Amino acid sequence: MVSASSLSHLSLSLSSSSPFLHKPKFNYPTKNNLHFNPKLVSFSNTKRIYATSSQVMNPSLSKTDSAVPTTVDVDLGDRSYPIYIGSGLLHQPHLLQRHVHGRRVLVVTNTTVAPLYLDKVVHALTTENQNVSVESVILPDGEQYKNMDTLMKVFDKAIESRLDRRSTFVALGGGVIGDMCGYAAASFLRGVNFIQIPTTVMAQVDSSVGGKTGINHRLGKNLIGAFYQPQCVLIDTDTLNTLPERELASGFAEVIKYGLIRDAEFFEWQEKNMHALLARDPNALAYAIKRSCENKAEVVSLDEKESGLRATLNLGHTFGHAIETGVGYGQWLHGEAVAAGTVMAVDMSYRLGWIDDSIVKRVGDILKQAKLPTCPPETVTMDMFKSVMAVDKKVADGLLRLILLKGPLGNCVFTGDYDRKSLDDTLRAFCKS
């Protein structure tokens, strides 16, 4: 087992020291993203970006007015919803209250987040809104508790409180809380509304957006769940001020992913600004969160149920989930496992001849800059990888499909059409046995 303190010292043999020099101040992008083209609409209280198939980041939005949230819309027809992004949003009660349609609310949170933000959320839900009553359930913190036993505590509280179908569940926490609360909302009384208030980078840039909900099984991660969209996602970037360094870095694995699979300019921006992100520069964080949400929202709007395109968001996850399952849930953070899994996917892409060695080096460099691991722990064997990957959600008709990079930076494929020897060679290269 690899300790948290040793993670930053893991390295990829194919990589060398980074050639990139970083300026001390935040660097804003200077050209338009090739993938997106935003329509901006002025509102009295929001800056709104519509995530559609032709979305583009506008550099003029990089510096945000903390009093005015930026809004990215997830376009799903009559189930569309906004992602509010900004500083101090928990102090703007109208943002939450407009999405609560009944009189009963259940806040689902954990033992770490509750002392920090539960009172603020209850106040935001009830201030000048006395008809709403709020219950809360506080779960243990950690991936190891993302299971059916813990989920039952949410149902117990909802049933004991006699919540009805007009009730709203609120997920207050990181990815584990968001996934479990969402699954509880999808299942309770066959479906009640829910709201996401993510408090980690990982949840803010990825897991809170798109409606994937669920729990783990001892044989594999996220094998039990449902697609169930929230009413809104409220991202108060101030919650990152209390996030531990290890959790902060973990979230950047998902940010890096977007650049690799579909947004090369964003990746180049990250190479120049990783120091600013690690230093919690508020403008850098706001920009990274917003651009990540735009990428995620566009993909979800085009492929909600992961029939093809959305699967590309799982770069590194098939290897990463095997790491998480192999070492035991909670030992490695999700982003740490995804980082190592991304390096393995990139290595396999290179062995297939689909990318050149410069991309391999850049991936290793940026992950090391982000203080993320670039290889799996020695305890995860080749047989363990194969066993867990065999029950991965992307297996179809017995065939393991993978997300791999192909072509210039910012391009990838979701495929089962690859040389099996390349997969075996990658596993041998990263596994001791």
Side-chain angles (χ1 to χ4, degrees):
M1 186 175 297
V2 180
S3 68
S5 61
S6 67
L7 291 175
S8 63
H9 300 292
L10 297 173
S11 62
L12 173 64
S13 60
L14 290 173
S15 301
S16 59
S17 59
S18 171
F20 298 107
L21 298 177
H22 298 271
K23 298 179 181 179
K25 70 178 190 176
F26 178 55
N27 295 288
Y28 295 104
T30 57
K31 61 179 191 261
N32 287 333
N33 179 336
L34 297 176
H35 295 280
F36 306 120
N37 189 5
K39 285 191 288 184
L40 300 182
V41 182
S42 296
F43 288 85
S44 59
N45 62 346
T46 62
K47 292 190 290 291
R48 188 173 295 269
I49 302 170
Y50 288 94
T52 65
S53 59
S54 59
Q55 180 90 343
V56 168
M57 236 329 278
N58 189 329
S60 68
L61 295 180
S62 296
K63 291 185 177 180
T64 59
D65 179 353
S66 61
V68 181
T70 294
T71 302
V72 176
D73 280 340
V74 182
D75 183 4
L76 292 171
D78 60 1
R79 292 175 299 108
S80 299
Y81 57 92
I83 308 167
Y84 303 117
I85 306 168
S87 171
L89 300 192
L90 290 179
H91 299 292
Q92 298 188 38
H94 66 282
L95 294 176
L96 283 179
Q97 290 181 16
R98 66 175 60 156
H99 297 286
V100 176
H101 305 302
R103 296 185 176 184
R104 308 292 303 281
V105 176
L106 176 63
V107 179
V108 181
T109 187
N110 65 34
T111 52
T112 301
V113 175
L116 298 170
Y117 301 113
L118 179 55
D119 287 347
K120 290 182 180 179
V121 170
V122 172
H123 183 265
L125 289 164
T126 59
T127 185
E128 299 182 8
N129 192 27
Q130 300 306 315
N131 289 329
V132 169
S133 64
V134 181
E135 304 286 345
S136 63
V137 56
I138 301 174
L139 306 177
D141 185 15
E143 187 79 32
Q144 64 270 36
Y145 299 108
K146 188 179 171 182
N147 55 39
M148 190 64 75
D149 288 342
T150 307
L151 184 68
M152 283 298 159
K153 297 180 187 298
V154 180
F155 293 132
D156 290 345
K157 183 66 176 181
I159 295 168
E160 290 166 2
S161 302
R162 298 184 179 180
L163 299 187
D164 58 33
R165 281 180 168 168
R166 285 182 55 79
S167 301
T168 298
F169 287 12
V170 175
L172 174 63
V176 171
I177 287 295
D179 283 6
M180 286 202 295
C181 179
Y183 190 35
S187 306
F188 182 64
L189 302 179
R190 297 193 174 94
V192 298
N193 290 341
F194 89 107
I195 291 169
Q196 289 269 19
I197 306 179
T199 60
T200 65
V201 173
M202 175 66 65
Q204 290 179 0
V205 303
D206 187 68
S207 64
S208 68
V209 178
K212 280 189 177 181
T213 72
I215 56 175
N216 299 330
H217 187 277
R218 63 181 179 81
L219 296 179
K221 185 177 166 71
N222 294 334
L223 295 181
I224 303 165
F227 288 99
Y228 196 68
Q229 302 295 340
Q231 297 298 299
C232 76
V233 179
L234 186 140
I235 299 173
D236 187 335
T237 54
D238 291 350
T239 59
L240 300 183
N241 294 334
T242 56
L243 194 65
E245 295 292 332
R246 184 181 173 195
E247 286 275 4
L248 184 78
S250 174
F252 294 144
E254 298 285 4
V255 176
I256 291 166
K257 167 195 74 180
Y258 292 117
L260 290 174
I261 65 172
R262 68 193 320 268
D263 194 345
E265 185 189 341
F266 188 27
F267 185 84
E268 292 165 3
W269 177 89
Q270 293 167 35
E271 290 177 314
K272 297 170 184 170
N273 290 284
M274 187 54 67
H275 290 332
L277 290 171
L278 290 169
R280 304 178 197 240
D281 179 288
N283 289 325
L285 285 171
Y287 178 79
I289 292 165
K290 178 176 54 182
R291 188 141 177 173
S292 296
C293 285
E294 288 177 346
N295 274 290
K296 181 73 177 279
E298 185 194 16
V299 171
V300 171
S301 72
L302 294 171
D303 180 21
E304 179 186 4
K305 299 294 181 69
E306 199 168 287
S307 60
L309 176 64
R310 186 170 179 176
T312 63
L313 296 175
N314 292 307
L315 176 70
H317 285 58
T318 303
F319 295 102
H321 287 172
I323 293 170
E324 288 183 86
T325 304
V327 299
Y329 297 130
Q331 298 301 316
W332 273 41
L333 296 178
H334 177 60
E336 294 167 345
V338 167
T342 296
V343 173
M344 296 177 75
V346 170
D347 176 83
M348 183 174 166
S349 302
Y350 177 70
R351 291 176 189 274
L352 288 165
W354 292 355
I355 58 173
D356 62 43
D357 58 359
S358 67
I359 294 179
V360 177
K361 183 180 186 307
R362 290 172 73 181
V363 171
D365 286 345
I366 198 168
L367 290 171
K368 285 187 285 187
Q369 288 179 51
K371 301 180 181 178
L372 288 165
T374 54
C375 63
E378 294 182 2
T379 54
V380 182
T381 66
M382 189 169 174
D383 286 342
M384 291 170 69
F385 267 108
K386 288 188 171 183
S387 175
V388 177
M389 292 165 75
V391 295
D392 186 87
K393 296 184 296 298
K394 292 177 290 299
V395 171
D397 297 326
L399 178 66
L400 175 62
R401 298 175 296 172
L402 294 170
I403 297 87
L404 300 167
L405 301 186
K406 189 171 186 179
L409 185 69
N411 292 273
C412 68
V413 292
F414 173 45
T415 183
D417 184 15
Y418 54 83
D419 182 358
R420 296 304 180 271
K421 182 178 182 298
S422 295
L423 174 58
D424 287 345
D425 288 347
T426 289
L427 291 175
R428 289 192 191 95
F430 285 90
C431 298
K432 294 292 184 181
S433 59

